[in-house]
Amino acid sequence: MRKSAIVIGFGAFFVTMALLLKFYAFDKLAVIPIDQNTKQVAVDKNAYLFDAGTLKFQHTTLTTTIGAVAQKDESKKFGHNAVIFSKWQYSKIPETKVAQQGFTEKFAVDRHTGKVVKWSGDSENEKAVEHKGYTVKFPFGAKKTTYPYWDGPTEKTMNMKYAGTDKIDGLEVYRYEGTVPRQSMTNEPTMDSPGFLFGGAKSSPGVHAKFSYSNDRIIWVEPQTGAFIKVSEGQKQWLTNPKNNKSVQVLRTTSVFDDATVKSNVDEYKGKASQLKALKIAPWALGILGILLLIGGALMAVLMGRRNNDADYDDDYEYDDDTRGGVSGLLDDNADDDATSADVLRRHGRD
């Protein structure tokens, strides 16, 4: 019985560990850090744009820097198991120090799902907005499906659809693709522009032009963590003179995370992905092993109990003294009778 008790004890231990890993340990690891601080760099070495610094169209290298910093104190104050992010980005070219474009955002996301949650301080370019969908990452355990992703220029979500599985530096990633068709830039619907852009002379008065854009976006996501490993944005932008409805394309770029950014992301999330994957498998393995041990221990206890009952039965059975234990006893008794008869005959012979 002692052996069966040990086996049952191990089974109960493994089942308990499986439950703890599934319902406690995973939630502790699958969470956005409250002190998250990231910087990504995207580059297009052959961007076509109108340079606001030199007032010229040119092909050049466009570098875009994107930062996302968790606001620890604000997050603790807000609660709701959320983290508040300040996100910013700006673009520049080597020909001029003037920033081509830039914007800032503030929003709150659920630390476990990665999805935006409602918060009173939600803003873009210091203007109140209501972010929705996903912003800095996809959910832990991302699926081969479609996710609503926040598009800053249009201030609404776009659909990012699963389009395949790739490998980046040995790391398996899901590729999501989506398109923003040409439309007004809600966050900056108009822009003061030089009049000559629309066919006028150099001395033409400025135009309060309409600003529109389109985007072909690709995001490569590590599925266990939901982290963005690589991003590509194929943007086009136009300025339109409202007086004659003439449009001029002022940007054409396909900006992609540079090699250093991608390598840094792979190095950071490869280990985390392995840990989360192991935490998904371990509860099942331990749970099955624990159940098998519990069943095995119970069967051992039953079988050992039967053996003990049989042994007790043998000890309690009493043999007949005359037979002295069966056939051998009977044979011995006959031998004694024969010996007695022989003795009688010998005595009569002597008499």
Side-chain angles (χ1 to χ4, degrees):
M1 294 296 288
R2 186 176 181 182
K3 289 182 179 179
S4 63
I6 292 173
V7 173
I8 291 173
F10 273 112
F13 172 75
F14 287 137
V15 170
T16 301
M17 286 298 297
L19 293 173
L20 286 173
L21 288 175
K22 182 170 180 61
F23 297 107
Y24 180 77
F26 185 84
D27 285 345
K28 286 293 182 181
L29 284 178
V31 63
I32 301 173
I34 202 167
D35 57 353
Q36 183 85 28
N37 189 338
T38 62
K39 186 175 79 170
Q40 319 281 358
V41 177
V43 176
D44 180 1
K45 294 183 178 180
N46 191 35
Y48 175 75
L49 54 81
F50 177 73
D51 177 20
T54 61
L55 298 180
K56 293 180 180 179
F57 286 95
Q58 55 186 315
H59 288 89
T60 184
T61 297
L62 180 68
T63 301
T64 303
T65 303
I66 309 107
V69 180
Q71 304 300 305
K72 190 173 182 178
D73 292 339
E74 284 187 273
S75 300
K76 288 182 177 180
K77 185 178 179 181
F78 176 58
H80 297 85
N81 193 36
V83 55
I84 294 170
F85 276 100
S86 290
K87 185 179 177 183
W88 48 268
Q89 79 173 54
Y90 65 90
S91 301
K92 63 180 183 179
I93 60 175
E95 288 81 4
T96 177
K97 294 182 179 180
V98 177
Q100 299 302 301
Q101 287 181 345
F103 72 89
T104 61
E105 296 177 279
K106 285 192 83 171
F107 48 82
V109 301
D110 186 284
R111 296 183 68 198
H112 287 295
T113 67
K115 200 169 186 178
V116 166
V117 296
K118 196 169 183 178
W119 173 57
S120 60
D122 216 347
S123 66
E124 187 166 299
N125 288 338
E126 300 183 355
K127 180 188 75 173
V129 298
E130 185 179 352
H131 285 82
K132 295 181 180 179
Y134 295 91
T135 52
V136 293
K137 68 182 296 298
F138 282 170
F140 292 96
K143 306 297 183 183
K144 297 177 180 180
T145 185
T146 300
Y147 289 107
Y149 178 76
W150 179 259
D151 181 63
T154 60
E155 294 185 359
K156 58 186 178 183
T157 59
M158 61 176 292
N159 289 327
M160 294 300 298
K161 183 179 180 180
Y162 170 79
T165 300
D166 299 328
K167 277 198 172 182
I168 298 178
D169 294 342
L171 179 66
E172 185 178 277
V173 293
Y174 290 173
R175 185 178 72 257
Y176 297 87
E177 299 179 359
T179 296
V180 179
R182 181 177 174 178
Q183 57 192 284
S184 173
M185 293 180 68
T186 308
N187 70 338
E188 195 174 5
T190 60
M191 178 178 286
D192 290 331
S193 310
F196 68 83
L197 281 177
F198 308 98
K202 284 286 186 181
S203 57
S204 298
V207 175
H208 197 56
K210 296 179 181 178
F211 209 178
S212 59
Y213 114 119
S214 69
N215 197 344
D216 293 315
R217 182 177 278 122
I218 306 173
I219 304 176
W220 287 266
V221 176
E222 193 294 304
Q224 301 300 327
T225 61
F228 295 172
I229 303 300
K230 183 178 178 181
V231 176
S232 171
E233 299 214 357
Q235 286 196 44
K236 294 177 182 177
Q237 295 180 3
W238 295 266
L239 288 172
T240 302
N241 188 338
K243 294 180 179 179
N244 57 18
N245 211 34
K246 182 176 182 179
S247 293
V248 177
Q249 189 176 86
V250 292
L251 176 67
R252 184 174 64 248
T253 177
T254 300
S255 296
V256 185
F257 280 2
D258 64 10
D259 292 342
T261 296
V262 173
K263 183 180 184 305
S264 177
N265 290 338
V266 169
D267 291 344
E268 179 176 357
Y269 291 105
K270 183 179 286 187
K272 293 178 180 179
S274 298
Q275 291 176 5
L276 291 177
K277 192 172 184 178
L279 278 178
K280 285 184 176 181
I281 298 172
W284 290 100
L286 290 174
I288 292 171
L289 178 59
I291 291 170
L292 290 175
L293 287 173
L294 288 173
I295 295 172
L299 289 175
M300 286 178 64
V302 171
L303 292 174
M304 292 176 71
R306 286 180 179 177
R307 289 180 182 176
N308 290 336
N309 289 334
D310 290 344
D312 291 341
Y313 176 79
D314 290 341
D315 291 340
D316 291 341
Y317 183 79
E318 295 182 0
Y319 296 107
D320 190 336
D321 290 340
D322 292 338
T323 62
R324 294 206 310 250
V327 174
S328 62
L330 290 171
L331 291 174
D332 289 343
D333 287 344
N334 289 335
D336 290 344
D337 290 342
D338 291 344
T340 303
S341 298
D343 290 341
V344 171
L345 289 174
R346 281 194 297 271
R347 283 198 299 269
H348 280 289
R350 287 197 299 269
D351 294 340

